[in-house]
């Protein structure tokens, strides 16, 4: 079984699905001969031709809007937005059109497309290349939002996303792109959208996270005393959210820390905390703790690790929640 | 080194039937047959009557805001006839009712839309169109994408998208034009330049002398036409569609027309528009000139006119009745088309929308959990 990075796993999934389904087309900035700025689409244009892997004009709204048209016209477009910060210009098309088309036409017209977007900080990138806007799109009805953190999950989730009859944003944590390899089967397999993964089982406290911070959380777990037993949940899908897995875990542990890179206020941590108090209030031994980015502009990279929930801060959050 | 000219351009204006009903025989060659002229006149008249009834429905509180098409009907019918029903795509704004009807959209759907009922957007399977688009200038990108899909799938259908002069100020208009030309897809950009974007006149909307010249930036074939002339609207669309179908890529049409009504029933154009300007355009009404032409050619009589008016009333009354009498949507209908398959939490919200303040299952808030714990 091949050992792949996240980048390679996504590339493999794209190639396999393009092979399987002639309706799949990739469009975006620099996705052709250059293979995308992160090389996620490397080699795909040479293999599938310029009609199916298309370098577009530099216009995110144009990419999103024409991808919507491609989907309406019977294709399965996979638009790539180069960095999450550039989703801004495409916001209107994505939220007000892709997300609403099925409802406003009572399912007569649908938009099956997968929007691939590198996301998050920690790679010393320039301004507007390090944000985590997943909550914005989760708050926008009609769009599914996923963010795998491992190569194995990335392949399975991407295949589910492409085959989904509705629009899916597939966030790819940049920090994980090449950080490690793992075994990724050659064969076709899917991971259902909406299913979280229990990374490590434990009884004392639940840690809920997704994307890049999964690995900062694992670092924090390593630093905790050996007798502390932590259940770490990687959501993988942000919308729909696997409430059951979270609730089941918190009912067992009575304590929960939610970790995410996005700003704290009105972030997914707020939603998850609310769901926990709605569903297992009387099981709680401590308030749900949020360990998130601050409510500031994501700083330039000299200070990005001060902003991001890094291992020491996560460790502190877990210790505080346990001590309550 | 002397300077040299690297780009030169000109724009033609096409008018075949003038406002007095006089036809340019040479230009009219191979355009509309007499039967087609009569047919288009009938379609325009029915659409005008549709506006009347829609206006009354709004004023009597039976329908929400409605934008009249009045004065611009020659565009919808000319373009509608030039495109192949059931094969070519229409990606409309909201002043092309007649084209949608000619391409098979049940007429009461548009009323349903303005009555606040999404079922009016539930395009039947045999109709190739997207629903009315309310936000300005966003849908032309969808037209480009649909045309792109046609090209990739080897389907020789053409896509026509309609929008106003104001829409050409939007970034997505330029994105749609740019993508369409770069990808050379079969789409016709049809601008109904009706001179007003709600209260802002064309000359405040853009500095360019014409809308048509905006296509030069994309090296797209472009023409300005008299948008109140059914011969011109038909011919320009037919030519553009032919070019697109034969692989010649996108085209641009600026149809100079005029919004004889208010922007919508919520608007009062007297606040910003001179009566003299309106009066001048009243004389250029496409219905008047088409009737003059037909009468001059012996194709139309007062008797036929009376019969048509009666028929239009009957048709539109029936349509209004259908729209008014449709059964109410089920209470939770707005949940059911969010996704192909409803996520569990959304299904829970739907199922408890009347029994819990936030749509949450009462079993899981408080009491259920307490019982479980105790």
């Amino acid at each position: 079984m091949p050992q792949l990075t996240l980048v390679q796993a996504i590339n493999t999934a794209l190639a396999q699905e393009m092979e399987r389904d002639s309706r799949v087309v990739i469009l975006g900035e620099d996705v052709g001969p250059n293979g995308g700025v992160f090389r996620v689409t490397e080699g795909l244009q040479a293999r599938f031709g310029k009609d199916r892997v298309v370098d577009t004009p530099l216009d995110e709204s144009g990419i999103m809007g024409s991808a919507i048209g491609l989907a309406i016209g019977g294709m399965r477009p996979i638009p790539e937005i180069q960095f999450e910060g550039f989703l801004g210009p495409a916001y209107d098309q994505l939220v007000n059109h892709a997300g609403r088309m099925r409802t406003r036409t009572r399912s007569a017209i649908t938009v099956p497309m997968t929007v691939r977007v590198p996301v998050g900080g920690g790679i010393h990138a320039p301004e507007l290349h390090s944000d985590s806007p997943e909550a914005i799109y989760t708050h926008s009805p009609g769009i599914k939002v996923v963010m795998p953190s491992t190569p194995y999950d990335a392949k399975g989730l991407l295949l589910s996303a492409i085959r989904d009859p509705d629009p899916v944003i597939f966030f790819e944590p940049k920090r994980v792109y090449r950080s490690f390899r793992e075994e990724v089967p050659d064969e076709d397999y899917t991971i259902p959208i909406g299913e979280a993964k229990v990374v490590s089982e434990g009884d004392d406290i639940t840690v809920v996270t997704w994307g890049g911070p999964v690995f900062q959380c694992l670092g924090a777990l390593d630093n905790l005393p050996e007798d502390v037993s932590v259940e770490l949940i990687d959501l993988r899908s942000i919308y729909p959210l696997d409430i059951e897995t979270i609730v089941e875990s918190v009912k067992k542990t009575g304590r929960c820390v939610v970790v995410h890179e996005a700003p704290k206020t009105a972030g997914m941590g707020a939603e998850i905390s609310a769901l926990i108090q709605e569903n297992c209030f009387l099981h709680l031994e401590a308030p749900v703790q949020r360990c998130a980015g601050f409510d500031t502009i994501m700083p330039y990279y000299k200070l990005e690790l001060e902003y991001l929930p890094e291992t020491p801060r996560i460790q502190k959050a877990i210790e505080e929640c346990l001590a309550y | 080194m002397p300077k040299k000219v690297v780009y030169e351009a000109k724009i033609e204006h096409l008018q075949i039937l003038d406002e007095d009903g006089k036809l340019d025989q040479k230009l009219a060659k191979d355009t509309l047959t007499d039967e087609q002229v009569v047919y288009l006149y009938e379609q325009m008249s029915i659409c005008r009557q549709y506006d009347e009834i829609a206006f009354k429905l709004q004023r009597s509180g039976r329908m929400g805001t409605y934008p009249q098409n009045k004065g611009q009907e020659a565009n919808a019918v000319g373009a509608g006839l030039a495109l192949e029903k059931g094969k070519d795509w229409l990606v409309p704004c909201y002043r092309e009712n007649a084209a949608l009807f000619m391409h098979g959209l049940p007429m009461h759907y548009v009323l349903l839309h303005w009555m606040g009922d999404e079922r009016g957007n539930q395009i039947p399977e045999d109709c190739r169109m997207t629903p009315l688009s309310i936000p300005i200038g966003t849908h032309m990108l969808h037209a480009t994408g649909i045309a792109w899909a046609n090209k990739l799938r080897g389907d020789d259908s053409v896509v026509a998208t309609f929008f106003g002069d104001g829409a050409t100020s939007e970034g997505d208009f330029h994105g749609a034009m740019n993508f369409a030309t770069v990808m050379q897809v079969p789409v016709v950009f049809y601008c109904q330049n009706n001179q007003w974007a709600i209260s802002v006149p064309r000359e405040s909307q853009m500095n360019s002398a014409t809308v048509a010249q905006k296509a030069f930036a994309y090296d797209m074939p472009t023409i300005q036409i008299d948008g109140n002339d059914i011969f011109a609207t038909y011919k320009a669309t037919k030519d553009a569609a032919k070019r697109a179908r034969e692989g010649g890529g996108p085209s641009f049409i600026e149809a100079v027309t005029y919004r004889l009504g208010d922007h919508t029933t919520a608007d009062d154009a007297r606040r910003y528009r001179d009566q003299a300007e309106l009066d001048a355009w009243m004389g250029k009404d496409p219905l008047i000139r088409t009737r003059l032409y037909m009468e001059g050619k012996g194709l139309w009589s007062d008797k036929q006119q009376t019969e048509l008016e009666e028929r239009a009333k009957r048709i539109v009354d029936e349509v209004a009745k259908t729209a008014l009498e449709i059964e109410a949507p089920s209470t939770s209908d707005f949940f059911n088309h969010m996704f192909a398959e409803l996520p569990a939490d959304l299904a829970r919200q739907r199922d408890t929308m009347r029994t819990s303040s936030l749509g949450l299952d009462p079993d899981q808030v408080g009491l259920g959990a307490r019982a479980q714990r105790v």
Side-chain angles (χ1 to χ4, degrees):
Chain A
M1 204 182 289
Q3 296 270 335
L4 302 182
T5 62
L6 188 76
V7 165
Q8 291 167 329
I10 297 168
N11 180 279
T12 304
L14 290 169
Q16 289 183 357
E17 197 61 5
M18 291 186 81
E19 194 70 57
R20 198 186 72 88
D21 185 348
S22 63
R23 299 171 303 170
V24 175
V25 289
I26 291 172
L27 63 154
E29 295 155 8
D30 309 297
V31 298
N34 197 36
V37 294
F38 288 105
R39 310 290 177 260
V40 175
T41 56
E42 191 159 41
L44 296 180
Q45 193 184 64
R47 184 164 162 196
F48 294 100
K50 285 183 174 173
D51 276 353
R52 295 187 66 197
V53 181
V54 187
D55 272 334
T56 66
L58 209 166
D59 172 8
E60 286 79 14
S61 190
I63 293 167
M64 200 66 74
S66 54
I68 291 170
L70 281 164
I72 294 171
M75 306 302 286
R76 290 270 173 164
I78 308 179
E80 175 183 307
I81 300 296
Q82 207 158 66
F83 285 87
E84 79 293 313
F86 311 149
L87 270 171
Y91 178 89
D92 179 52
Q93 287 293 344
L94 181 53
V95 170
N96 294 334
H97 297 280
R100 299 174 89 103
M101 192 59 85
R102 177 187 286 277
T103 289
R104 63 190 288 264
T105 62
R106 286 296 181 263
S107 297
I109 298 176
T110 57
V111 182
M113 72 171 180
T114 302
V115 184
R116 286 187 40 249
V117 194
V119 74
I123 63 156
H124 287 205
E127 189 173 26
L128 278 168
H129 286 62
S130 301
D131 288 343
S132 292
E134 65 272 19
I136 296 171
Y137 300 96
T138 301
H139 190 66
S140 306
I143 302 168
K144 295 181 183 177
V145 182
V146 302
M147 195 191 296
S149 69
T150 67
Y152 179 88
D153 286 350
K155 181 179 170 186
L157 263 176
L158 183 54
L159 292 179
S160 287
I162 301 170
R163 294 168 194 176
D164 198 278
D166 289 299
V168 181
I169 306 181
F170 187 85
F171 280 120
E172 303 167 1
K174 288 169 250 174
R175 205 174 182 178
V176 190
Y177 263 153
R178 292 182 169 80
S179 66
F180 76 104
R181 291 169 186 272
E182 70 176 357
E183 287 190 345
V184 177
D186 276 327
E187 58 265 25
D188 193 310
Y189 66 95
T190 56
I191 290 171
I193 294 173
E195 278 188 17
K197 176 173 75 177
V198 178
V199 179
S200 71
E201 289 190 21
D203 300 317
D204 299 334
I205 186 166
T206 304
V207 175
V208 177
T209 191
W210 55 92
V214 167
F215 301 96
Q216 275 63 51
C217 288
L218 283 169
L221 264 55
D222 285 344
N223 293 340
L224 289 169
E226 269 186 20
D227 62 339
V228 175
S229 159
V230 180
E231 184 136 304
L232 177 63
I233 296 175
D234 176 356
L235 285 182
R236 304 192 291 192
S237 291
I238 319 295
Y239 190 88
L241 190 63
D242 186 351
I243 301 166
E244 243 171 67
T245 297
I246 299 170
V247 166
E248 197 184 314
S249 176
V250 177
K251 277 184 177 171
K252 178 174 68 176
T253 63
R255 299 171 196 272
C256 182
V257 175
V258 187
V259 182
H260 60 68
E261 290 188 14
K264 185 186 76 162
T265 299
M268 282 307 296
E271 177 61 29
I272 292 165
S273 304
L275 284 166
I276 289 172
Q277 65 89 7
E278 280 168 2
N279 286 282
C280 33
F281 183 66
L282 294 176
H283 294 267
L284 286 176
E285 305 289 347
V288 177
Q289 188 113 356
R290 284 177 286 172
C291 182
F294 299 104
D295 293 340
T296 65
I297 303 298
M298 174 87 191
Y300 284 13
Y301 65 76
K302 277 188 182 172
L303 292 177
E304 73 174 334
L305 295 185
E306 299 301 318
Y307 170 92
L308 293 168
E310 290 299 293
T311 294
R313 190 142 70 91
I314 298 168
Q315 191 182 332
K316 192 159 183 295
I318 295 172
E319 286 166 354
E320 280 171 6
C321 191
L322 281 168
Y324 186 88
Chain B
M1 195 74 76
K3 287 181 184 170
K4 56 182 181 180
V5 175
V6 294
Y7 190 81
E8 269 185 310
K10 62 175 177 149
I11 296 170
E12 288 183 337
H13 178 94
L14 176 70
Q15 183 194 54
I16 303 175
L17 180 68
D18 73 13
E19 58 192 90
D20 299 321
K22 208 170 86 207
L23 191 74
D24 184 319
Q25 296 293 346
K26 208 170 139 197
L27 288 175
K29 193 169 175 292
D30 298 327
T31 58
L32 298 171
T33 64
D34 289 348
E35 291 74 24
Q36 285 174 325
V37 171
V38 171
Y39 171 65
L40 295 191
Y41 179 72
E42 289 171 347
Q43 295 307 308
M44 289 195 292
S45 303
I46 293 166
C47 188
R48 185 69 61 93
Q49 177 63 20
Y50 193 88
D51 268 4
E52 288 297 313
I53 294 299
F55 188 83
K56 283 179 185 160
L57 287 172
Q58 192 279 331
R59 284 293 187 261
S60 59
R62 287 176 291 174
M63 192 169 78
T65 301
Y66 174 81
Q68 291 196 314
N69 290 197
K70 191 177 176 183
Q72 302 180 213
E73 298 93 338
N75 297 287
V77 299
L81 186 67
L83 297 159
E84 200 176 320
K85 179 185 171 183
K87 172 174 173 144
D88 295 333
W89 279 81
L90 302 178
V91 180
C93 169
Y94 46 76
R95 283 193 225 277
E96 295 84 25
N97 288 347
L100 306 181
F101 302 153
M102 288 165 69
H103 279 243
L105 187 74
M107 288 176 73
H108 68 284
Y109 274 40
V110 172
L111 292 181
L112 283 178
H113 174 102
W114 297 109
M115 285 174 173
D117 191 329
E118 288 93 343
R119 286 174 293 182
N121 292 339
Q122 198 169 22
I123 308 298
E125 248 177 58
D126 56 346
C127 290
R128 276 191 146 178
M129 62 186 69
T130 53
L132 306 193
S133 184
I134 305 307
I136 299 304
T138 53
H139 59 291
M140 294 94 92
L141 270 169
H142 307 162
T144 293
I146 294 168
W148 189 356
N150 288 348
K151 185 180 173 185
L152 289 171
R153 291 165 52 244
D155 173 343
D156 72 340
S157 307
V158 169
V159 182
T161 183
F162 302 85
F163 48 91
D165 39 307
T168 68
S169 297
E170 291 280 2
D172 277 358
F173 160 74
H174 296 277
M177 299 278 282
N178 192 36
F179 268 70
T181 42
V182 169
M183 306 303 167
Q184 282 296 296
V185 301
V187 58
V188 180
F189 292 93
Y190 195 112
C191 177
Q192 291 208 58
N193 170 11
N194 71 5
Q195 316 302 325
W196 291 89
I198 304 188
S199 66
V200 177
R202 198 206 65 87
E203 57 273 19
S204 302
Q205 190 70 238
M206 63 193 79
N207 188 48
S208 54
T210 67
V211 185
Q213 74 202 62
K214 296 192 182 191
F216 287 147
Y218 308 99
D219 254 355
M220 188 187 294
T222 184
I223 188 171
Q224 186 188 69
I225 65 169
D226 182 340
N228 290 0
D229 162 5
I230 53 171
F231 288 85
T233 61
Y234 173 79
K235 181 173 168 46
T237 311
K238 193 88 181 164
D239 290 350
K242 182 168 185 285
R243 183 160 46 236
R245 215 182 298 284
E246 290 170 354
S251 301
F252 189 85
I253 298 168
E254 176 195 357
V256 180
T257 183
Y258 197 78
R259 194 191 79 204
L260 289 179
D262 298 326
H263 166 64
T264 65
T265 47
D267 177 44
D268 179 0
R270 289 172 301 185
R271 291 167 59 85
Y272 51 80
R273 199 163 71 170
D274 287 341
Q275 187 62 37
E277 179 186 300
L278 180 61
D279 290 343
W281 277 95
M282 285 285 194
K284 299 180 185 177
D285 187 329
L287 283 174
I288 297 174
R289 75 174 73 174
T290 309
R291 184 176 170 185
L292 283 173
Y293 167 74
M294 294 192 303
E295 286 172 346
K297 225 184 162 193
L299 300 171
W300 200 248
S301 64
D302 287 349
K303 184 166 168 283
Q304 280 169 296
Q305 180 67 25
T306 311
E307 279 170 8
L308 173 62
E309 283 168 13
E310 281 167 7
R311 182 156 68 93
K313 275 201 181 77
R314 271 203 312 279
I315 290 170
V316 177
D317 285 349
E318 190 59 36
V319 165
K321 192 163 169 279
T322 308
L324 288 165
E325 287 178 357
I326 190 169
E327 76 282 7
S330 70
T331 315
S332 59
D333 188 46
F334 59 91
F335 281 96
N336 296 330
H337 299 278
M338 283 303 303
F339 296 98
E341 204 178 315
L342 214 55
D345 186 57
L346 207 44
R348 198 174 300 124
Q349 290 180 29
R350 177 193 61 192
D351 297 340
T352 60
M353 65 182 285
R354 287 292 177 88
T355 54
S356 175
S357 59
L358 279 175
L360 291 166
D361 185 342
D363 281 350
Q364 60 179 320
V365 252
L367 289 177
R370 187 184 291 272
Q372 208 177 327
R373 172 118 169 174
V374 173

